Amino acid sequence: MLCWGMLIEHKHPPMRLQKLTLAGFKSFAKSITFAFPAPVAAIVGPNGSGKSNVAEAIRWVLGEQSLKTIRGKRGEDLIWHGSPRTPRLGRATVSLTIDNRDRRLPLDFTEVAVERKIFRDGTSQYFLNGSTVRLKDIIELLARLGLGETKHNIIGQGEVDHILGASARERREILEEAIGLRLAQLKKREAERKLEETDRNRREIEGLIREIAPHLKFLKTQAEKAEKREATRRELEEALGAYAAREGQAIGEDRKRIERDEEPLRHNLAAAERDSADRKRDIAAAESGADDAAELASKEKLLEGLEAKRRGLEREFGRIEGRLESEPQSRPPGWRGLDVSAAESALRPFVASLREVMALDAIDEIRRRVSSIAAKIEALLKQWYHEASRPGPRPGGHALEAEKQRIRRDLHVAEAAIREARKNLAHARERASAREQKLREYWQGLRQQEETASSLRNALQRSEFELERVRTRAAELERIIGDSGLSPSDLKPTGTRYDTVPSEELRRKIEKLKVRLEETGGIDLVVLKEYSDTKGRHEFLTRELADLSSAEKDLKRLIAELDAKIERDFKTGFGKVREAFQHYFRIIFGGGKGTIEYVALRRPKAGMDEELSEGEGGEVTYGVEISVDIPRKRIRGLDMLSGGERALVSVALLFAITAVNPPPFLVLDETDAALDEANSQKYAAILKELSKKTQLILITHNRETMKVSGVLYGVTMGDDGISKILSLQLEEAEGYRNR
């Protein structure tokens, strides 16, 4: 997208329309952006190149709903349909960016981008600075700029004399929108819609009030009959509430006291039971830890055996000494005696083993090891006896002496073993005595703890009896409340009314109130609830009716104010448009007279398309009539004008409307097509003057119109059917202008 520069310098107000972007819209398959930095921009190109699609894109993005107006039958007609070289697209997008530095639009943006997208399924979306909005939002926003549904600021191809061919009422709507009454009319329309809705709601509520009034009266009678019973019931609730509170408090205090007293009893009982269990475990462990009688018997038997052995050794020692005394001291040559040192070495391990045995406590182990040592000693003795009994000289004094020494040593060993056995026996007796004493202490402590636990259980049983009496009182209180037909949640808190009444007297009063309540009969609580609900609904509807009546008055007042404002502003603006129309008419036609008149009409009856003249009945409305007097011609009506004259009259009225209340921009699509060269020059001069008040976007073939353009865009179309923007040099533009 390129343009060939500013051809004419203008002093102009801040720009309104900054740029227009088309993507996939009709013949603009690719994204194209038109920038509008000058007051006047012209779009030129050969017929069929797609330049009129630019004006239709502007009309469409501003909310146009009529596809016929933008030369389409279906929504997908607005989307690039495709070509052999470029496939069709799924959507079309048009974006229009408006300068908002003067904050004419109530948005906190210096630029406001209005965007519309359409998809092949016909779905259409609107965006405002990238945020999704409704069509209603777009319409209300554009109304602040004087742009509305008639799109009077966008004159399409062949529509230049549309305002002349329009009905008087349609001309009035165009003028109202151009003057800037669109926003007020939208507000009035919204207020009228709300007024209709309010009136409909008011009638519905009045009908509902009339419907429920008789039923409410009947329900009120039933409710009054129930008041007496309800008074008795409330008195019963109060008395029973006082009694229940008093009795419940006493029951609660007794229960807390009993539970408070029980807590240390249970704690102490648990401690006593734990201690008893510990003592039982100690007794069991002490009783099963050792067999004192067996141990003592074993150690005593061992000692007796050692002592018997010692006595045997002593007797043997005595016999050896007797023999030594009776036998001669000399020994025959060659006599083989026992080697004392060898015997001592052989017996020493047995002595060490006996000492180890004497240190043991386990009787079975002692017996086993002593038996083993005795067997080994007997085997050694047999060996010695065998050697001594072999042929040779008999032992003499030396052998007896050696035997004597051996026995002496055995006696020493036996004495040591006896001493150790006596010591172990004494220790075993001490241990047995200590365990016996400990068992006596355990049994004594167990009896004491069991006596304590028994006492505590008796105390807890007495406490449980007291607690059972409290439960009986609580059950009696529940029975009294249940017999009254009330639940604990029905009982009301009381003040001091029954504080001084004794409990028994209060209970008798409760019984009397219960009897009186039964005598008055039952009440259908559903009826009471229905009365309460119906009464509440009646009060709600009454308030709603008052609110709607107030809102109806406010809406009528608002509509009247808007009507007055619209009428006042229209008359003011209409007068200015009439003066401007006369001004531009004289400039274009070199004199003559062009005027517009505000005339009264009659709204047509249902099914009629045309307006009725005054006096034919129907609702009175107003329209705008146009009359002209062209110099040197007798013209009696607009139908007598030529095509060029109609175009000039339309242009004069269009420029008059624009001059009085300039829109942000004005789009003219070949509105100069029917003008000759002289009129084209006048048309261009008016455009130049008009560009000081509004921004102009011109689609034209007219060279005079191009001359006033500050920016010139060239649109062309290739074999692929896609509209493109051509890049032209200034010299080429000058040459194109002078053709």
Side-chain angles (χ1 to χ4, degrees):
M1 178 200 72
L2 295 172
C3 61
W4 66 63
M6 303 294 291
L7 302 181
I8 300 176
E9 295 293 335
H10 291 286
K11 293 182 180 180
H12 54 84
M15 302 303 297
R16 292 293 182 189
L17 182 59
Q18 290 184 332
K19 61 183 178 179
L20 173 69
T21 300
L22 297 83
F25 184 81
K26 288 196 170 184
S27 60
F28 289 90
K30 299 179 180 179
S31 180
I32 297 293
T33 298
F34 294 87
F36 303 110
V40 183
I43 299 173
V44 301
N47 292 332
S49 62
K51 59 183 182 298
S52 292
N53 291 340
V54 177
E56 292 173 354
I58 296 175
R59 182 186 294 273
W60 182 72
V61 76
L62 294 182
E64 179 62 59
Q65 298 300 300
S66 173
L67 293 175
K68 182 179 179 181
T69 304
I70 50 180
R71 298 182 298 173
K73 294 181 180 180
R74 297 175 299 177
E76 62 179 352
D77 293 341
L78 306 181
I79 306 173
W80 166 248
H81 54 76
S83 67
R85 283 184 286 178
T86 305
R88 73 173 190 168
L89 299 178
R91 68 179 180 182
T93 304
V94 177
S95 175
L96 191 69
T97 303
I98 301 174
D99 188 344
N100 193 40
R101 286 176 294 178
D102 58 359
R103 292 300 190 272
R104 187 171 177 182
L105 295 176
L107 299 174
D108 192 20
F109 297 98
T110 57
E111 292 183 353
V112 176
V114 180
E115 184 178 13
R116 184 177 182 182
K117 295 180 180 180
I118 189 170
F119 301 86
R120 288 206 170 270
D121 61 359
T123 304
S124 187
Q125 295 179 344
Y126 295 88
F127 301 88
L128 198 62
N129 280 12
S131 299
T132 304
V133 294
R134 302 168 299 174
L135 173 60
K136 178 183 177 182
D137 301 323
I138 299 296
I139 291 174
E140 291 180 355
L141 187 70
L142 297 176
R144 296 180 178 275
L145 301 178
L147 305 178
E149 295 178 351
T150 63
K151 304 294 187 298
H152 68 280
N153 65 315
I154 304 175
I155 307 301
Q157 187 174 357
E159 295 180 350
V160 65
D161 65 342
H162 170 71
I163 195 168
L164 298 186
S167 65
R169 181 169 53 83
E170 290 173 339
R171 295 193 197 107
R172 175 181 60 81
E173 292 175 354
I174 294 173
L175 285 177
E176 286 176 347
E177 184 177 292
I179 292 171
L181 303 179
R182 180 64 177 167
L183 186 60
Q185 288 173 334
L186 289 176
K187 291 181 179 180
K188 177 186 174 183
R189 188 182 303 171
E190 181 67 15
E192 289 174 341
R193 185 190 63 77
K194 290 182 178 179
L195 181 61
E196 292 177 359
E197 184 178 353
T198 301
D199 181 64
R200 182 173 60 255
N201 292 337
R202 179 181 56 79
R203 291 196 302 270
E204 290 178 358
I205 290 177
E206 287 175 345
L208 290 174
I209 291 176
R210 288 193 300 269
E211 180 181 346
I212 67 175
H215 187 54
L216 180 62
K217 184 177 180 181
F218 167 76
L219 293 174
K220 182 179 180 182
T221 302
Q222 296 297 315
E224 289 174 350
K225 291 181 180 179
E227 286 183 357
K228 181 178 179 181
R229 187 180 193 281
E230 282 300 302
T232 303
R233 187 178 187 277
R234 287 193 296 269
E235 188 176 1
L236 175 60
E237 288 176 355
E238 187 176 0
L240 188 56
Y243 179 78
R246 184 185 305 174
E247 186 69 6
Q249 182 179 2
I251 292 172
E253 290 175 354
D254 288 346
R255 180 181 284 111
K256 289 180 180 178
R257 174 182 57 77
I258 294 171
E259 292 175 351
R260 184 173 61 250
D261 294 342
E262 278 186 351
E263 184 176 356
L265 294 176
R266 296 185 185 280
H267 176 75
N268 294 335
L269 176 60
E273 290 176 345
R274 287 195 301 271
D275 190 80
S276 296
D278 292 342
R279 292 180 185 277
K280 288 178 181 179
R281 285 193 295 272
D282 292 341
I283 291 171
E287 289 179 343
S288 63
D291 189 350
D292 292 334
E295 183 181 3
L296 289 174
S298 175
K299 290 185 180 297
E300 288 174 351
K301 185 175 181 181
L302 175 63
L303 181 59
E304 291 175 357
L306 291 173
E307 288 178 343
K309 184 177 180 181
R310 183 189 64 180
R311 287 191 298 270
L313 289 173
E314 287 176 346
R315 286 192 300 271
E316 183 68 20
F317 187 78
R319 285 193 300 271
I320 294 297
E321 283 185 339
R323 290 177 62 184
L324 286 174
E325 290 178 357
S326 63
E327 290 183 1
Q329 296 296 320
S330 60
R331 298 289 186 262
W335 181 83
R336 289 171 36 192
L338 181 64
D339 190 349
V340 176
S341 61
E344 183 179 1
S345 299
L347 292 173
R348 188 177 293 114
F350 299 109
V351 174
S353 297
L354 287 173
R355 288 176 179 173
E356 291 178 0
V357 169
M358 286 186 292
L360 297 177
D361 291 333
I363 300 302
D364 294 338
E365 181 65 16
I366 291 173
R367 290 175 177 173
R368 185 185 66 78
R369 295 183 66 174
V370 169
S371 176
S372 176
I373 293 170
K376 292 179 181 180
I377 292 173
E378 288 177 355
L380 183 62
L381 290 175
K382 287 179 179 180
Q383 180 182 354
W384 288 348
Y385 289 147
H386 177 70
E387 291 177 353
S389 63
R390 285 184 301 176
R394 297 182 64 86
H398 293 289
L400 291 174
E401 186 65 28
E403 183 70 12
K404 178 181 177 181
Q405 294 299 325
R406 180 188 64 76
I407 294 172
R408 182 180 284 116
R409 286 193 296 272
D410 290 344
L411 284 172
H412 288 312
V413 172
E415 288 290 342
I418 289 171
R419 288 194 298 272
E420 187 67 26
R422 287 174 178 173
K423 181 179 178 181
N424 290 338
L425 179 59
H427 288 166
R429 287 171 177 170
E430 289 176 0
R431 288 196 297 272
S433 177
R435 274 194 289 270
E436 183 68 22
Q437 179 64 26
K438 195 69 174 179
L439 276 173
R440 285 195 295 271
E441 292 176 359
Y442 286 160
W443 280 109
Q444 183 179 0
L446 178 60
R447 285 192 295 273
Q448 291 176 352
Q449 291 300 326
E450 287 181 344
E451 290 174 359
T452 301
S454 177
S455 176
L456 290 171
R457 290 190 188 95
N458 293 335
L460 282 172
Q461 188 174 12
R462 291 192 298 272
S463 178
E464 185 62 28
F465 290 155
E466 292 183 17
L467 188 60
E468 184 62 28
R469 287 196 296 270
V470 171
R471 294 193 188 101
T472 302
R473 289 175 60 190
E476 178 65 13
L477 178 60
E478 291 181 0
R479 185 194 64 77
I480 294 172
I481 295 174
D483 291 345
S484 67
L486 304 176
S487 64
S489 61
D490 295 328
L491 304 182
K492 300 179 179 178
T494 60
T496 59
R497 179 179 178 183
Y498 295 105
D499 288 352
T500 59
V501 179
S503 296
E504 288 301 322
E505 182 180 345
L506 186 56
R507 183 168 177 176
R508 288 193 295 271
K509 182 177 180 63
I510 290 171
E511 295 299 329
K512 292 179 181 179
L513 289 171
K514 286 164 58 177
V515 172
R516 189 190 309 169
L517 191 64
E518 291 175 359
E519 291 175 350
T520 57
I523 292 179
D524 189 354
L525 298 179
V526 175
V527 174
L528 294 178
K529 185 178 186 306
E530 185 179 2
Y531 170 68
S532 177
D533 294 344
T534 306
K535 182 180 178 182
R537 179 168 174 75
H538 184 271
E539 292 174 351
F540 171 76
L541 292 175
T542 302
R543 291 193 301 271
E544 286 292 302
L545 182 61
D547 293 342
L548 288 173
S549 298
S550 177
E552 191 173 25
K553 292 179 182 179
D554 293 340
L555 288 171
K556 288 180 178 178
R557 182 168 58 253
L558 175 61
I559 291 171
E561 292 174 356
L562 290 172
D563 279 335
K565 173 179 173 56
I566 291 172
E567 186 69 18
R568 181 177 62 254
D569 292 350
F570 180 78
K571 288 182 178 179
T572 302
F574 183 80
K576 294 179 180 180
V577 172
R578 181 164 50 190
E579 293 178 4
F581 178 53
Q582 177 64 25
H583 170 71
Y584 285 113
F585 187 89
R586 289 177 178 175
I587 292 176
I588 291 175
F589 289 99
K593 182 179 181 181
T595 185
I596 56 176
E597 298 294 338
Y598 196 45
V599 297
L601 304 171
R602 294 285 178 179
R603 188 181 298 275
K605 297 180 181 179
M608 298 180 64
D609 297 330
E610 298 181 355
E611 296 163 342
L612 304 174
S613 61
E614 188 173 0
E616 293 187 28
E619 183 181 350
V620 176
T621 183
Y622 294 90
V624 175
E625 294 289 354
I626 303 173
S627 60
V628 297
D629 183 8
I630 298 178
R632 299 175 297 280
K633 285 189 177 182
R634 292 184 177 181
I635 302 297
R636 296 181 180 178
L638 297 178
D639 294 337
M640 299 178 64
L641 294 174
S642 64
E645 290 171 339
R646 289 180 64 87
L648 290 175
V649 172
S650 298
V651 168
L653 184 54
L654 175 63
F655 288 173
I657 294 172
T658 303
V660 170
N661 186 30
F665 56 90
L666 184 63
V667 180
L668 302 176
D669 185 4
E670 297 190 24
T671 55
D672 52 4
L675 301 180
D676 55 20
E677 184 175 357
N679 287 326
S680 294
Q681 293 176 353
K682 294 179 182 180
Y683 178 81
I686 295 175
L687 288 177
K688 184 176 180 181
E689 185 67 24
L690 195 62
S691 67
K692 298 177 182 179
K693 297 183 179 182
T694 187
Q695 186 180 12
L696 301 177
I697 300 173
L698 310 175
I699 299 173
T700 183
H701 289 291
N702 194 305
R703 289 180 296 175
E704 297 298 328
T705 302
M706 295 182 199
K707 291 179 181 180
V708 300
S709 302
V711 176
L712 194 63
Y713 287 98
V715 180
T716 186
M717 181 180 293
D719 296 338
D720 55 3
I722 298 176
S723 296
K724 302 179 181 65
I725 303 300
L726 298 180
S727 174
L728 302 176
Q729 298 298 323
L730 182 59
E731 293 79 5
E732 294 174 336
E734 290 291 344
Y736 183 75
R737 274 180 19 182
N738 295 328
R739 291 179 185 175

